[in-house]
Amino acid sequence: MLTAEYSQQARSQMPEEFTEDDLLELADTVGGASAGLFNQMLPRIVGGGVGTGQEGEEALAGGGFVLNECTVVLRLNAETDTVEFFCDVGLPLYHAQEAVYRKAMEMNLCRTYPGIVFGIHPESGRLVATTGTHALLMADDEVCLNTLQMLTRVVAQLRLSRTFELDDSA
């Protein structure tokens, strides 16, 4: 908890004005820290999920692996210093694409699952659930694992309840 004394002390140590160079230096420092933390964390997360053999190496190369019967991808967005989590929901049936898109947009708008956004992968056309958090908030592996567990649980519920008309064979 911040006290008035601590707050005053912190303000007295800050420059009155940040220059553009100061802000660029701060951004580089944060970005470097984020990348370093992510690069250290990813092998541990992947290793715990799929192991360290060939499958683990492939997962590290692409950032994707299977967890709780869901294909998940982790990546660091260097522009925003955000760890992004993607989870494949499935391929919408061709005749149901409009209904699936409408339902996904409605769920996003109503924040049916707060913090989770649904979208369509631009290349595969698959429905994807995604979330993200600033890399510096990934204090330890457990935060990352809990986020993955939350995301895969939501996707499993959606599949089980048949919220979306998906091609079960794809």
Side-chain angles (χ1 to χ4, degrees), residues 2-23:
L2 289 178
T3 64
E5 181 180 316
Y6 175 81
S7 182
Q8 181 64 28
Q9 180 184 11
R11 275 195 297 271
S12 69
Q13 294 176 357
M14 291 180 65
E16 288 185 32
E17 192 174 301
F18 283 103
T19 66
E20 185 176 339
D21 289 340
D22 292 335
L23 294 176

Side-chain angles (χ1 to χ4, degrees), residues 31 33 54 59-60 65 67 74 81 87 104 125 134 137 151 159:
Q54 177 70 23
L60 279 175
F65 56 97
L67 179 69
L74 275 77
D81 291 322
C87 186
H134 195 282
L137 295 177
L151 196 58
R159 289 175 179 167

Side-chain angles (χ1 to χ4, degrees), residues 31 34 48-49 72 96 113 136 143 169:
S34 298
V72 296
Y113 297 97
L136 295 179
V143 175
S169 66

Side-chain angles (χ1 to χ4, degrees), residues 14-84:
M14 291 180 65
E16 288 185 32
E17 192 174 301
F18 283 103
T19 66
E20 185 176 339
D21 289 340
D22 292 335
L23 294 176
L24 290 173
E25 182 180 337
L26 181 60
D28 286 343
T29 301
V30 169
S34 298
L37 291 173
F38 181 79
N39 290 334
Q40 291 172 12
M41 178 183 64
L42 186 60
R44 293 190 304 266
I45 299 297
V46 169
V50 297
T52 56
Q54 177 70 23
E55 192 176 353
E57 289 177 25
E58 290 173 9
L60 279 175
F65 56 97
V66 176
L67 179 69
N68 299 334
E69 299 179 17
C70 297
T71 300
V72 296
V73 174
L74 275 77
R75 72 174 183 208
L76 177 67
N77 182 328
E79 291 181 19
T80 62
D81 291 322
T82 302
V83 176
E84 298 174 333

